[in-house]
């Protein structure tokens, strides 16, 4: 039973930084996901992708965060990170980590894919 657990959310002033973590457990067969990443959902808005990293450590970023956010993974610790710099009020949202056994293009496009594993979300508030 795969579990993804986010941590590191909270409140920060505009211009500040914050790092989110996502710990994965239960992927007992040892096979890695083809794509992992972060999504976010603000009140009244649809969930949107923020950043992805594939099994070759190739990264992609949404235009809104490119140059400010950095996604990385620690395979030994089964942990995914999102370093967020120069935060803006419009970054306020619930952030979710996700993993799926498909390429990152489809991972980003098919947000509601039933094969996606999701964390419970962590709130980030920028004021």
């Amino acid at each position: 039973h795969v579990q993804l657990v986010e941590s590191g959310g909270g409140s920060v002033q505009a211009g500040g930084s914050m790092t989110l973590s996502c710990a994965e457990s239960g992927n007992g067969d040892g096979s890695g996901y083809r794509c992992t990443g972060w999504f976010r959902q603000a009140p009244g808005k649809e969930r949107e992708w923020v950043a992805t990293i594939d099994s070759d450590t190739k990264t992609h970023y949404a235009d809104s965060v490119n140059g400010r956010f950095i996604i990385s993974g620690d395979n030994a610790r089964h942990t995914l990170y999102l370093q967020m710099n120069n935060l803006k009020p419009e970054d306020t949202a619930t952030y979710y980590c996700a993993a799926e056994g498909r390429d990152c293009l489809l991972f980003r496009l098919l947000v509601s894919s039933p094969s996606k594993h999701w964390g419970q979300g962590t709130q980030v508030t920028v004021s």
Side-chain angles (χ1 to χ4, degrees), residues 26-54:
N27 189 21
D29 64 2
S31 61
Y33 296 105
R34 289 188 63 190
C35 190
T36 55
W38 293 90
F39 289 74
R40 67 185 181 187
Q41 187 167 18
K45 294 188 176 181
E46 293 187 352
R47 191 170 299 190
E48 62 178 3
W49 75 275
V50 174
T52 61
I53 184 168
D54 67 17

Side-chain angles (χ1 to χ4, degrees), residues 1-15:
H1 177 64
V2 174
Q3 282 193 312
L4 301 175
V5 179
E6 300 99 336
S7 61
S11 298
V12 65
Q13 290 189 335

Side-chain angles (χ1 to χ4, degrees), residues 4 10-11 15 45 63 72 76-77 85 99 102 105 120 126-127:
L4 301 175
S11 298
K45 294 188 176 181
D63 289 343
S72 62
R77 295 174 183 252
N85 302 311
R102 65 181 355 152
L105 176 59
Q120 83 287 354
V126 185
S127 59

Side-chain angles (χ1 to χ4, degrees), residues 99-102 106-107 109-118:
E100 194 170 17
R102 65 181 355 152
L106 291 177
F107 178 88
L109 292 176
L110 303 178
V111 177
S112 300
S113 166
S115 62
K116 240 185 204 71
H117 298 283
W118 292 98

Side-chain angles (χ1 to χ4, degrees), residues 10-126:
S11 298
V12 65
Q13 290 189 335
S17 298
M18 181 181 291
T19 298
L20 305 181
S21 300
C22 173
E24 180 263 332
S25 63
N27 189 21
D29 64 2
S31 61
Y33 296 105
R34 289 188 63 190
C35 190
T36 55
W38 293 90
F39 289 74
R40 67 185 181 187
Q41 187 167 18
K45 294 188 176 181
E46 293 187 352
R47 191 170 299 190
E48 62 178 3
W49 75 275
V50 174
T52 61
I53 184 168
D54 67 17
S55 54
D56 293 324
T57 69
K58 185 175 182 179
T59 59
H60 283 84
Y61 297 93
D63 289 343
S64 58
V65 306
N66 194 27
R68 299 187 297 122
F69 290 12
I70 300 172
I71 186 172
S72 62
D74 184 335
N75 289 334
R77 295 174 183 252
H78 299 280
T79 303
L80 182 71
Y81 301 99
L82 184 68
Q83 180 182 337
M84 305 183 292
N85 302 311
N86 190 21
L87 283 159
K88 304 176 180 180
E90 50 265 42
D91 294 318
T92 294
T94 300
Y95 283 71
Y96 300 88
C97 66
E100 194 170 17
R102 65 181 355 152
D103 67 83
C104 279
L105 176 59
L106 291 177
F107 178 88
R108 292 189 293 269
L109 292 176
L110 303 178
V111 177
S112 300
S113 166
S115 62
K116 240 185 204 71
H117 298 283
W118 292 98
Q120 83 287 354
T122 185
Q123 177 67 35
V124 173
T125 302
V126 185

